[in-house]
């Protein structure tokens, strides 16, 4: 912010008046900690001692009304506002790329209702998801949203990025789990979407704000579904001959039953897993399922699952792997297990129909392996629908360029190649990590003229363009 | 090599990792991004890369309450309290220790306790004087009980007497050294004061040392061995000892009307991995209703030590714990640590009672 004289302090005192003096900070430590999120580029930039994106002021409101006051002030003075939830997004979405205000939501962490009649919880969006889950568990329920970042990310962050958990095949994505929202628009107006998600009262307002990544408002409260704890959860693993037969089996399975977990690993990822399961490497692709719910129903589903996988020639590897994976499903994300700097890496999750998914996979693999021989490519397919499946494909470069600018360039080239290959073959720019800063430039390529719908929304709701600039292609 | 650089491996692991942020009791109540292990590591990672340690960073380093929740959560086994203590030491060497902490260190120097305590409350003096000078069991009260919460110490002594335990308490009990270790990290003086304390304890020829405060127990059981300091008596926590007295019938609680919730002290539940004895004791004294986040998931009350230099932050943390206590519907919050008791007493809501575990047993045995 370039402000003369004591103008900056005038604005600061207005913000302090709005949210309380203790909840406004210009301290360097706060600027620093909001200068690096989970985005690889931000991490690499910090690692190499480069100047980080820096907010001018960090504001932590506790209520919807306070958020409204902050946005009114920001609007009046035309100051950029970047909403920061957990900062654990991988797309640079929460980084204050043009300075201004960071609006950190984590003081908005209250649960106001647990409605076991209609099976939802209402909470403020700054709550870390694990707290929602713990509260649901205390009452004998679960949110059934189990992402790897359950400990790190907020309800608002998951909504803003259209997040997903490992049980999505049965329970859906975050956008399926949300009944209703309260949102503060950039001009400070507080609005509510309809009390229910299914209706015929025009387009779905929920789905306009879900995935909007803080570019057209701040989501302040949400009603989120809860589910009964399953009577039984059981696991089954198989080794299929190849991706084609495994995907075909998966497709057929979903015409008959609904597993909660379906995770199919490509040959590269199978190598390490299969060794752990059967003690030696064997060619093929590994797939792990979980079935859950009422014991009686699970028994029938189990029979059908074994039957279908058998017909596609899969070897039954039993349930031990699945049990262990379930217990350790989050361990993978702790340092020492997951990729980390100095490696360069990225998760290019995309999704396509069954007709296209294999094309997408092979095209992305080829785009990366042939153009960037220094990069490894691994993938698994872990969120399945009746019409298609998500591929969680990752690239890893063990020894990226030392020069940060060179590293940035290579990183973006790999991403461009991978995402363009996906789009060209019927995939989409992203499945559940969102767009953020990382993929912003590719949004127009994805949407073409349809992008004007989002641009129109942005122009109307945020005419001064203060909300999360440079993100989501807006 | 700087003190911080020695912990570079942990710093580098934590700086980009958010996995334990949900367990940080400070981050939970402040909602601030700077209050978790990754934020502190990120700042220190810049220091290991040549930037200066600043007062601003140090301030945040002192906002860590050293509760060990992050350490316990870490699947890989990293321990952020190590770089926190290293940074505190480095700050001291660079003259960056916050003024509020320097005052406590001065008090520690002058009075051997951080509460500027010089004389014991008369009732406590009397209770100690009534005990034999030498006995097979040494009951170690700790500075917090001696100077902040003498009533708890008196009740605990009475309880031990009632159970017929042959024990003694040192009138001039030395400080465990824990405060210095937490405020300054691993300096020579920390070890020196621990060595002196160990010598005094060993001289008593006691066979068993029962530590009233779980933090003192943790110091004796964990820190002393780490510093290679030998304590001759076997160390027991007060809760495990008290539970044995009840289970053996030396104490017989008869009043079981209490509806109780229990705050697990972090050092007891996490560092010492002791959860059951307090629960068995409370089951003998009434009905226990568990709080949201208990056992090894307990959230720090704010800590008596932090209360001395950042009372507002401590008050936020203890209030948050009180909220959880109230949600259980219990009438009484019991804690098993005299220091937690002092912290909780400052934010006690009107409609709940606060009780040390010694008092609830004392009442139940009347
Ligand atoms: C270890 C790890 C594992 C992960 N595993 C998964 C996984 O399994 N599934 C998955 O989906 N994701 C996963 N992620 C990614 C990440 O958790 C999600 O992208 C999550 O949605 C980010 O939430 P956050 O609160 O951290 O948001 P932030 O990073 O703070 O913000 C993300 C975006 O949301 C916006 N935003 C945040 N709050 C609001 C709000 N209240 N209103 C409007 N906009 C808002 C921000 O401006 C930003 O654009 C993982 C991340 C990590 C670190
Ligand atoms: S202690 Fe473990 S979980 Fe916590 S930040 Fe460090 S590496 Fe991550
Ligand atoms: S020791 Fe406790 S207060 Fe300090 S960072 Fe870890 S969890 Fe937070």
């Amino acid at each position: 912010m370039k402000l003369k004289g004591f103008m900056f302090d005038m604005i600061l005192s207005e913000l302090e008046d709005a949210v309380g003096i203790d909840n406004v900070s210009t301290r360097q430590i706060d600027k620093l900690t909001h200068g690096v999120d989970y985005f690889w580029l931000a991490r690499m930039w910090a690692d190499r001692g480069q100047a980080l994106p820096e907010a001018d002021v960090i504001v932590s409101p506790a209520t919807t009304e306070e958020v409204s006051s902050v946005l009114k002030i920001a609007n009046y003075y035309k100051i950029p506002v970047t909403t920061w939830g957990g900062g654990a997004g991988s797309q640079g979405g929460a980084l204050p790329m043009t300075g201004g205000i960071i609006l950190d939501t984590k003081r908005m962490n209250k649960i106001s209702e647990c409605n076991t009649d209609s099976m939802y919880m209402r909470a403020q969006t700054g709550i870390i998801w694990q707290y929602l889950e713990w509260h649901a568990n205390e009452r004998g329920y679960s949110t059934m949203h189990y992402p790897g970042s359950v400990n790190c990310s907020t309800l608002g962050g998951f909504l803003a990025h259209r997040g997903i958990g490992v049980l999505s095949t049965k329970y859906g994505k975050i956008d399926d789990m949300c009944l209703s929202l309260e949102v503060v628009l950039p001009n400070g107006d507080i609005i509510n979407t309809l009390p229910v998600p299914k209706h015929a009262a025009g387009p779905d307002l929920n789905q306009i704000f879900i995935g909007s990544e803080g570019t057209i408002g701040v989501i302040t409260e949400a009603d989120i579904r809860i589910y009964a704890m399953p009577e039984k959860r059981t696991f089954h693993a198989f080794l299929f001959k190849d991706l084609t037969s495994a995907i075909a089996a998966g497709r057929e399975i979903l015409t008959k039953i609904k597993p909660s977990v379906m995770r199919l690993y490509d040959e590269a990822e199978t190598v390490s897993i299969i060794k752990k399961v059967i003690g030696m490497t064997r060619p093929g692709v590994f797939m792990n399922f979980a079935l859950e719910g009422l014991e009686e129903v699970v028994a029938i589903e189990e029979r059908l699952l074994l039957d279908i996988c058998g017909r596609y020639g899969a070897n039954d590897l039993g349930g031990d792997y699945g049990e262990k994976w379930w217990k350790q499903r989050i361990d993978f994300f702790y340092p020492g297990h997951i990729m980390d700097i100095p490696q360069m890496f990225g998760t290019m999750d995309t999704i396509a129909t069954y007709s296209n998914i294999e094309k997408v996979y092979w095209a992305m693999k080829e785009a990366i392996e042939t153009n960037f021989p220094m990069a490894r490519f691994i993938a698994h397919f872990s969120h399945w629908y009746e019409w298609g499946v998500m591929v969680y494909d990752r690239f890893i470069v063990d020894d990226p360029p030392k020069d940060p600018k060179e590293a940035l360039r290579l990183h973006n080239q790999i991403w461009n190649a991978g995402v363009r290959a996906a789009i060209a073959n019927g995939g989409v720019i992203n499945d559940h990590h969102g767009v953020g800063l990382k993929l912003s430039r590719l949004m127009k390529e994805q949407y073409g003229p349809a992008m004007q719908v989002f641009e129109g929304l942005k122009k109307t709701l945020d005419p001064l363009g203060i909300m999360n600039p440079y993100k989501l292609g807006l | 090599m700087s003190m911080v650089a020695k912990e570079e491996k942990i710093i580098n692991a934590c700086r980009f990792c958010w996995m334990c942020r949900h367990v940080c009791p400070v981050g939970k109540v402040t909602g601030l991004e700077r209050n978790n292990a990754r934020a502190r590591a990120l700042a220190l990672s810049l220091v290991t890369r040549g930037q200066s340690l600043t007062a601003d960073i140090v301030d945040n380093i002192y906002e860590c309450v050293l509760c060990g929740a992050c350490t316990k959560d870490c699947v890989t086994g990293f321990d952020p309290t190590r770089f926190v203590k290293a940074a505190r030491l480095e700050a001291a060497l660079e003259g960056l220790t916050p003024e509020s902490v320097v005052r406590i260190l001065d008090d520690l120097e002058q009075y051997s306790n951080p509460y500027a305590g010089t004389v014991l409350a008369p009732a406590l003096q009397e209770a100690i004087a009534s005990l034999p000078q030498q006995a097979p069991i040494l009951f170690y009260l700790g500075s917090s009980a001696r100077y902040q919460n003498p009533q708890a110490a008196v009740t605990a002594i009475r309880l031990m007497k009632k159970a017929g335990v042959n024990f003694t308490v040192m009138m001039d009990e030395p400080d465990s050294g824990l405060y210095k270790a937490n405020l300054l990290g691993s300096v020579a003086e920390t070890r020196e004061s621990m060595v002196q304390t160990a010598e005094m304890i060993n001289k008593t020829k006691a066979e068993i040392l029962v530590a009233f405060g779980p933090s003192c127990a943790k110091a004796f059981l964990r820190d002393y061995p780490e510093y290679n300091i030998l304590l001759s008596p076997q160390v027991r926590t007060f809760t495990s000892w008290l539970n044995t007295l009840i289970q053996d019938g030396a104490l017989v609680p008869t009043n079981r009307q209490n509806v109780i919730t229990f705050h697990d002290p972090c050092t007891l539940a996490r560092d010492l991995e002791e959860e059951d004895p307090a629960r068995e004791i409370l089951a003998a004294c009434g009905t226990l209703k568990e709080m949201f986040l208990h056992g090894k998931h307990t959230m720090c009350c704010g800590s008596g030590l932090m209360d001395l230099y950042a009372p507002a932050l401590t008050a936020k943390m203890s209030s948050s714990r009180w909220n959880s206590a109230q949600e259980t519907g219990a009438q009484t919050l019991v804690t098993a640590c005299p220091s937690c008791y002092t912290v909780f007493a400052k934010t006690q809501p009107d409609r709940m009672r606060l009780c040390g575990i010694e008092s609830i047993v004392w009442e139940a045995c009347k």
Side-chain angles (χ1 to χ4, degrees):
Chain A
M1 264 191 294
K2 287 198 184 71
L3 295 165
K4 300 246 162 73
F6 49 84
M7 197 56 231
F8 180 69
D9 294 273
M10 288 296 285
I11 298 172
L12 216 54
S13 75
E14 258 190 78
L15 290 168
E16 288 170 357
D17 185 49
V19 301
I21 196 160
D22 290 344
N23 305 310
V24 176
S25 171
T26 53
R27 281 176 59 177
Q28 205 51 41
I29 182 80
D30 291 315
K31 293 180 181 177
L32 168 66
T33 48
H34 289 94
V36 184
D37 68 354
Y38 205 58
F39 184 19
W40 183 82
L41 273 183
R43 294 198 254 171
M44 181 273 289
W45 219 240
D47 180 65
R48 312 276 168 95
Q50 302 297 300
L52 295 166
E54 192 173 289
D56 294 286
V57 51
I58 292 92
V59 179
S60 304
T63 64
T64 303
E65 289 68 31
E66 289 182 0
V67 171
S68 164
S69 302
V70 171
L71 293 194
K72 280 179 186 159
I73 295 166
N75 229 301
Y76 181 78
Y77 293 109
K78 305 186 183 60
I79 305 169
V81 179
T82 304
T83 306
W84 177 290
S90 51
Q91 315 297 74
L95 294 174
M97 299 314 291
T98 56
I101 296 172
I102 276 278
L103 191 154
D104 191 315
T105 60
K106 283 191 292 296
R107 283 184 68 236
M108 302 199 296
N109 62 358
K110 309 276 174 310
I111 297 172
S112 53
E113 188 185 357
C114 179
N115 190 324
T116 52
D117 245 3
S118 309
M119 299 291 276
Y120 70 85
M121 285 169 97
R122 185 167 186 82
Q124 288 183 298
T125 51
I127 192 166
I128 300 290
W129 194 278
Q130 181 64 70
Y131 279 85
L132 267 183
E133 177 63 16
W134 275 336
H135 277 282
N137 295 164
E138 270 215 320
R139 293 162 175 84
Y141 300 92
S142 168
T143 62
M144 295 301 180
H145 181 62
Y146 294 172
S149 49
V150 65
N151 297 350
C152 340
S153 287
T154 60
L155 165 56
F158 284 118
L159 286 165
H161 270 334
R162 292 188 173 272
I164 207 165
V166 292
L167 303 179
S168 68
T169 300
K170 187 175 179 80
Y171 300 99
K173 282 183 86 184
I174 195 82
D175 32 292
D176 303 309
M177 296 175 161
C178 174
L179 301 190
S180 184
L181 296 174
E182 178 192 74
V183 179
V184 181
L185 297 179
N187 66 6
D189 281 354
I190 300 168
I191 63 161
N192 282 282
T193 63
L194 297 188
V196 289
K198 297 286 169 196
H199 54 77
D204 191 342
L205 213 45
N206 276 347
Q207 299 301 337
I208 286 173
F209 291 100
I210 296 175
S212 66
E213 304 191 355
T215 60
I216 51 171
V218 180
I219 307 171
T220 44
E221 289 196 16
D223 292 342
I224 289 292
R225 291 181 64 182
I226 51 173
Y227 303 80
M229 286 290 191
E231 220 172 78
K232 182 163 188 190
R233 179 175 284 138
T234 184
F235 295 89
H236 272 284
F238 299 90
L239 189 67
F240 285 86
K241 181 166 77 349
D242 52 24
L243 279 181
T244 306
S245 61
I247 291 173
R251 192 194 63 78
E252 187 179 332
I253 285 164
L254 280 166
T255 62
K256 302 197 164 74
I257 60 174
K258 221 162 183 48
S260 55
V261 174
M262 288 176 71
R263 295 174 77 86
L264 166 65
Y265 299 82
D266 75 350
E267 279 179 62
E269 260 201 272
T270 292
V271 172
S272 62
I273 299 174
I274 199 74
K275 192 149 191 202
K276 279 184 211 142
V277 180
I278 59 173
M280 56 181 207
T281 50
R282 248 181 36 205
V285 295
F286 182 79
M287 192 166 186
N288 184 34
F289 294 88
L291 298 167
E292 63 188 70
L294 288 175
E295 218 162 324
E296 274 176 87
V297 179
V298 170
I300 298 170
E301 288 194 322
E302 215 167 354
R303 190 165 46 73
L304 290 166
L305 178 74
L306 290 168
D307 173 52
I308 298 168
C309 291
R311 277 198 283 105
Y312 283 88
N315 286 343
D316 187 349
L317 300 178
D320 291 354
Y321 168 84
E323 298 283 352
K324 203 161 154 219
W325 170 82
W326 180 249
K327 284 199 196 94
Q328 299 176 347
R329 67 188 184 279
I330 291 187
D331 296 5
F332 168 78
F333 294 99
Y334 285 76
H337 302 266
I338 196 167
M339 291 89 65
D340 203 350
I341 301 279
Q343 288 172 311
M344 178 194 286
F345 48 87
T347 301
M348 302 177 148
D349 48 311
T350 185
I351 178 150
T353 57
Y354 286 118
S355 319
N356 291 330
I357 194 66
E358 280 192 79
K359 270 192 289 173
V360 167
Y361 167 79
W362 290 110
M364 290 177 84
K365 188 172 163 66
E366 194 193 333
I368 288 173
E369 287 178 346
T370 53
N371 295 319
F372 307 98
M374 73 296 268
R376 278 180 288 136
F377 181 88
I378 54 174
H380 57 255
F381 302 73
S382 47
H383 303 285
W384 296 65
Y385 305 86
E386 287 78 1
W387 45 266
V389 56
M390 182 223 62
V391 53
Y392 188 97
D393 33 15
R394 284 176 289 180
F395 72 85
I396 302 154
V397 178
D398 288 322
D399 190 19
K402 298 282 173 288
D403 174 43
K405 290 178 199 284
E406 277 300 309
L408 180 147
R409 186 171 293 123
L410 175 65
H411 173 268
N412 288 357
Q413 285 169 347
I414 297 179
W415 271 96
N416 287 347
V419 173
R420 282 178 180 142
I423 294 174
N425 288 281
V428 295
I429 183 167
N430 189 266
D431 175 71
H432 64 268
H433 286 107
V435 173
L437 177 67
K438 188 196 263 179
L439 303 176
S440 192
R441 64 187 176 281
L442 296 168
M443 276 292 274
K444 284 200 177 71
E445 288 183 35
Q446 166 79 78
Y447 277 94
M451 193 66 193
Q452 66 188 298
V453 177
F454 296 147
E455 287 164 348
L457 270 170
K458 175 79 175 170
K459 242 183 224 138
T460 307
L461 296 176
D462 182 22
L464 300 175
I466 60 165
M467 300 300 290
N468 212 0
Y470 304 156
K471 314 290 170 63
L472 202 60
L474 293 171
Chain B
M1 195 199 277
S2 77
M3 297 303 142
V4 171
K6 283 187 186 158
E7 303 298 349
E8 191 168 10
K9 191 167 172 226
I10 309 177
I11 290 170
N12 281 347
C14 296
R15 67 188 163 148
F16 301 138
C17 170
W18 275 254
M19 294 306 284
C20 63
R21 76 112 51 90
H22 63 308
V23 297
C24 182
V26 187
K28 177 176 180 273
V29 298
T30 64
L32 292 172
E33 189 62 40
R34 70 167 186 262
N35 288 146
N36 57 49
R38 88 96 199 176
R40 295 192 178 92
L42 177 65
L44 294 178
S45 76
L46 301 185
V47 174
T48 62
R49 281 161 181 73
Q51 292 192 23
S52 319
L53 186 65
T54 61
D56 198 36
I57 295 175
V58 173
D59 217 64
N60 190 40
I61 289 294
Y62 275 96
E63 282 178 356
C64 168
V65 76
L66 294 175
C67 72
C70 47
T71 313
K72 197 80 183 173
D73 181 74
C74 186
V75 168
T76 328
F78 289 113
D79 178 1
T81 65
R82 287 184 46 170
F83 62 67
V84 165
K85 288 185 191 168
R88 288 179 181 184
L89 181 51
E90 180 129 356
L93 297 175
E94 293 187 21
L96 286 170
T97 308
E99 201 42 51
S100 51
V101 175
V102 170
R103 272 199 303 275
I104 307 172
L105 289 167
D106 288 347
D107 283 348
L108 268 174
E109 208 52 49
Q110 195 175 341
Y111 306 105
S112 295
N113 68 73
Y115 312 106
T118 46
V119 276
L120 296 179
L124 181 56
Q125 275 194 43
E126 216 174 282
I128 298 175
S130 73
L131 301 171
Q133 297 254 325
Q134 215 173 3
I137 288 151
L138 175 66
F139 188 33
Y140 183 92
L141 297 176
S143 312
S144 174
R146 283 163 69 87
Y147 299 109
Q148 286 196 302
N149 197 354
Q151 190 49 50
V154 170
T155 310
I157 290 172
R158 280 199 204 147
L159 204 55
M160 300 263 279
K161 275 176 135 180
K162 190 180 175 91
V165 179
N166 183 9
F167 74 107
T168 184
V169 171
M170 287 189 268
M171 190 65 89
D172 294 316
E173 187 184 88
D175 173 54
S176 69
L178 179 78
Y179 298 111
K180 213 176 256 173
N182 283 351
L183 288 175
L184 267 190
S186 170
V187 274
E189 291 99 305
T190 308
R191 185 173 192 279
E192 191 49 39
S193 70
M194 287 180 173
V195 167
Q196 283 171 14
T197 301
E199 279 169 5
M200 280 179 75
I201 290 174
N202 293 344
K203 240 189 247 164
T204 66
K205 303 252 182 313
E207 289 153 28
I208 296 176
L209 184 159
V210 178
F212 192 26
S215 300
C216 301
K218 183 237 165 193
F220 296 141
L221 284 163
R222 299 279 185 268
D223 301 65
Y224 278 44
E226 220 172 88
Y227 284 89
N228 276 325
I229 299 170
L230 188 79
L231 268 184
S232 349
Q234 180 205 355
V235 178
R236 295 277 303 267
T237 61
F238 178 64
T239 30
S240 80
W241 181 255
L242 187 56
N243 190 34
T244 311
L245 295 179
I246 294 174
Q247 304 308 325
D248 292 351
L251 290 170
V252 185
T254 47
N255 172 10
R256 295 178 177 213
Q257 302 305 309
N258 297 297
V259 183
I260 304 160
T261 188
F262 178 59
H263 168 77
D264 292 87
C266 340
T267 36
L268 189 65
R270 267 195 294 269
D271 293 298
L272 301 176
E273 300 182 340
E274 189 198 293
E275 297 179 33
D276 295 340
R279 288 176 168 74
E280 286 168 25
I281 294 168
L282 295 176
C285 302
T287 310
L288 176 65
K289 292 191 157 192
E290 292 286 11
M291 261 202 246
F292 176 59
L293 300 184
H294 57 266
K296 71 174 181 337
H297 295 298
T298 188
M299 284 261 156
C300 177
C301 66
S303 130
L305 188 56
M306 190 188 262
D307 190 39
L308 297 175
Y309 64 83
L313 189 49
T314 299
K316 271 189 195 165
M317 293 165 73
S318 59
S319 301
S320 160
R321 238 14 218 159
W322 271 118
N323 288 343
S324 300
Q326 284 178 299
E327 280 165 15
T328 63
Q331 302 139 359
T332 306
L333 170 66
V334 173
T335 179
C337 164
S339 179
C340 296
Y341 181 96
T342 313
V343 164
F344 277 126
K346 294 185 180 174
T347 51
Q348 184 177 355
D350 287 341
R351 56 181 201 80
M352 274 197 88
R353 194 165 77 108
L354 174 63
C355 226
I357 198 154
E358 70 293 334
S359 302
I360 203 99
V361 177
W362 177 255
E363 275 176 27
C365 291
K366 263 187 192 161

